[in-house]
């Protein structure tokens, strides 16, 4: 099986054996935003054509991520929550003019509407690696995802625009004007915790944001610490508002870039919640393998 | 008395009689951001020098707004909450080398820290016009202010970065990409109310913001309505989070630009709160006159 994780800014391909061992992997910066419309077949072919034919056999390809979005190769319709790997495998979209090639659907929820593409595959992969059927996942990032899984099905999920808001507040509002260049800024643990503490107070995010300015203005925080304070403020709000009131009952499984996961873990500890960090290196491959097995594209390992 | 309302982007001056009648007014786009450091005396002199000398007398000048900030003429230290007009008049900052000219202090609160400059003068003016000593005020804008007054003193206040966040989300995030040019957008009442309804739900602002994207993606709202939806979302959060749990007991007095006040009034009505809109045309003059009387710069009317 060839597993392809094709997102907005990156393309990663993995050649795996029937029992899930990764025998080769390649990546390219040709994320979907960097590929001209109609150019997807050529880009993928350049990356993996030598993997596709092994003897008489054509190796199947399973793709996930934003490649199935409106801006991608073909739009793979969303599957509705709750969903299991087996539900997803019944809704694979076959790529036109490409033999043995499918795109995994994204997942949607209706009210309030929310969507994801790719994160559900990572979560299914993580469940397999953890050998469990249940869990509360947090995938921090530009658009953080919180995903709850019950008996092997994604039951509920929600997106928080934490990372994107952090960047835009820093770069495009009055809050950023007090902050030094990123290169002159180090992570400040105390300021981060002070942001978490403010997030616990009354007044709401729109009000708390202004304290980034006033703490700087009154020199109660040095300019170099304001970015860490803002980070704590936003992550603190995200954790309290999402997590489906489950964070105190369940261990939160953090899946994502290690440095960012560490911040979330610190914040969850501050809020007296248990958490663990799982490397997101192999979870997509593991999840795609699982879906391919369910779809009988490959045999179970 | 000459009353000067000198903000970030505008400069307004009023010549008033001892009983508070406005006999002349002038304005200029020379807000403090448009005046080179050290140029304030000249700018003001150009605008009002012919008002300053009447016979043998030099007419006193009272200034409020961002002119008293670090970026202004001189920094007028903040007065701490709670404050009355009489507290403010004891802390006027005399402008160096200018006879009979004072800047009104801003107001601060310690925890979480918050500041304002000019809004307190508007509120004192509005109280005089309404002939009352108590009220819950909302001054919507780039940085909205909520101000509670008890027995003539500003007891508590809080800032919400609603207007600035609205602009930056529209101009610098993925949410704006689905929105048409401002010129092609009209206010959409239904979408605005849908935003207010979302703001009442669980999940928090960071999550709700993403629904601007998903509602557009699923075409559950037309692109032209997304801006009104976002506006309802943010104003809905502001009203619920601020207002000091007082909005259901007190009539909210809205002070600001008429079109914006109307939106806030619609939102407050949606949340079953009473409100009224006061024109902000003359409230600064009225407030400065009141402070000048307390300071015995002019006699009481």
């Amino acid at each position: 099986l060839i597993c392809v994780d094709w997102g907005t800014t990156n393309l990663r391909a993995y050649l795996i054996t029937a029992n899930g061992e990764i025998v080769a992997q390649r990546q390219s910066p040709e994320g979907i935003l960097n590929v001209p419309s109609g150019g997807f077949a050529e880009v993928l072919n350049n990356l993996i054509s030598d993997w596709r034919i092994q003897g008489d056999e054509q190796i199947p390809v399973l793709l996930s991520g934003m490649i199935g979005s409106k801006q991608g190769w073909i739009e793979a319709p969303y599957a509705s929550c709750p969903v299991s790997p087996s539900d997803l495998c019944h809704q694979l979209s076959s790529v036109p003019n490409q033999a043995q090639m499918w795109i995994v659907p994204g997942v949607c929820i209706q009210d309030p509407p929310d969507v994801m593409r790719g994160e559900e595959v990572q979560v299914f992969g993580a469940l397999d690696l953890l050998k469990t059927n249940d869990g509360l996942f947090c995938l921090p990032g530009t658009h953080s995802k919180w995903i709850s899984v019950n008996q092997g099905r994604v039951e509920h999920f929600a997106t928080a625009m934490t990372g994107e808001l952090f960047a835009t507040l820093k770069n495009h509002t009055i809050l950023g004007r007090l902050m030094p260049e990123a290169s002159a800024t180090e992570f400040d643990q105390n300021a981060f915790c002070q942001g978490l503490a403010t997030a616990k107070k009354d007044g709401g995010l729109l009000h708390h944001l202004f304290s980034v300015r006033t703490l700087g203005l009154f020199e109660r925080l040095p300019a170099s610490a304001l970015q860490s304070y803002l980070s704590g403020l936003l992550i603190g709000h995200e954790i309290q508002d999402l997590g489906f009131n489950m964070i105190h009952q369940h261990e939160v499984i953090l899946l994502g870039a290690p440095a960012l996961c560490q911040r979330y873990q610190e914040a969850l500890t501050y809020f007296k919640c248990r958490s663990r960090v799982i490397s997101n290196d192999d979870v997509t491959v593991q999840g795609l393998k699982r879906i391919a097995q369910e779809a009988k594209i490959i045999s179970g390992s």
Side-chain angles (χ1 to χ4, degrees), chain A residues 4-7 62-67 103-104 118 120-121 284 288:
Chain A
V4 179
D5 175 7
W6 206 336
L62 201 54
L63 304 98
S64 73
M66 291 302 281
I67 190 65
I103 299 180
V104 177
E120 68 292 345
V121 174
T284 297
L288 286 172

Side-chain angles (χ1 to χ4, degrees), chain A residues 94-200:
Chain A
S94 191
V95 180
N97 309 317
Q98 303 287 331
Q100 297 263 82
M101 192 183 290
W102 300 269
I103 299 180
V104 177
V107 177
C108 71
I109 207 164
Q110 290 304 323
D111 191 42
D114 209 330
V115 292
M116 59 180 170
R117 278 195 190 275
E119 290 91 349
E120 68 292 345
V121 174
Q122 294 184 45
V123 164
F124 289 135
L127 288 168
D128 264 19
L129 290 172
L130 296 169
K131 302 190 193 315
T132 177
N133 278 317
D134 305 283
L136 175 60
F137 290 83
C138 171
L139 288 72
T142 306
H143 297 168
S144 295
K145 304 285 179 188
W146 285 77
I147 304 173
S148 73
V149 181
N150 188 17
Q151 298 190 331
R153 296 161 83 94
V154 168
E155 220 170 39
H156 194 57
F157 73 93
T159 306
M161 291 185 61
T162 313
E164 185 166 8
L165 202 64
F166 177 76
T168 199
L169 287 167
K170 197 161 58 73
N171 295 329
H172 298 292
T173 71
I174 199 169
L175 303 186
R177 281 193 227 154
L178 295 173
M179 296 176 185
E181 288 295 305
S183 58
T185 300
E186 278 184 19
F187 179 70
D188 184 313
Q189 182 74 32
N190 286 336
F192 182 73
C193 288
Q194 205 173 326
L196 296 172
T198 301
K200 286 178 77 173

Side-chain angles (χ1 to χ4, degrees), chain A residues 185-247:
Chain A
T185 300
E186 278 184 19
F187 179 70
D188 184 313
Q189 182 74 32
N190 286 336
F192 182 73
C193 288
Q194 205 173 326
L196 296 172
T198 301
K200 286 178 77 173
K201 292 183 186 168
D202 284 344
L205 181 57
L206 290 168
H207 172 48
H208 292 162
L209 288 177
F210 197 64
S211 66
V212 179
R213 177 163 169 76
T214 43
L215 287 169
L217 205 64
F218 289 157
E219 293 172 3
R220 280 167 59 178
L221 275 180
S224 60
L226 294 176
Q227 201 164 312
S228 301
Y229 175 79
L230 175 60
S231 171
L233 201 54
L234 292 172
I235 292 174
H237 272 278
E238 178 188 327
I239 288 174
Q240 290 181 107
D241 284 339
L242 296 174
F244 319 120
N245 304 318
M246 287 165 64
I247 49 174

Side-chain angles (χ1 to χ4, degrees), chain A residues 240-296:
Chain A
Q240 290 181 107
D241 284 339
L242 296 174
F244 319 120
N245 304 318
M246 287 165 64
I247 49 174
H248 291 287
Q249 288 81 52
H250 291 262
E251 183 186 54
V252 177
I253 303 163
L254 290 160
L255 207 58
L260 192 56
C261 283
Q262 199 190 324
R263 298 279 166 269
Y264 275 70
Q265 187 158 46
E266 285 163 16
L268 284 160
T269 303
Y270 181 90
F271 288 126
K272 302 194 195 313
C273 304
R274 286 172 302 131
S275 62
R276 64 194 289 185
V277 177
I278 302 288
S279 160
N280 64 348
D281 281 351
D282 298 339
V283 289
T284 297
V285 175
Q286 190 70 23
L288 286 172
K289 189 193 79 175
R290 170 75 188 279
I291 293 162
Q293 286 168 349
E294 296 273 352
K296 315 252 186 267

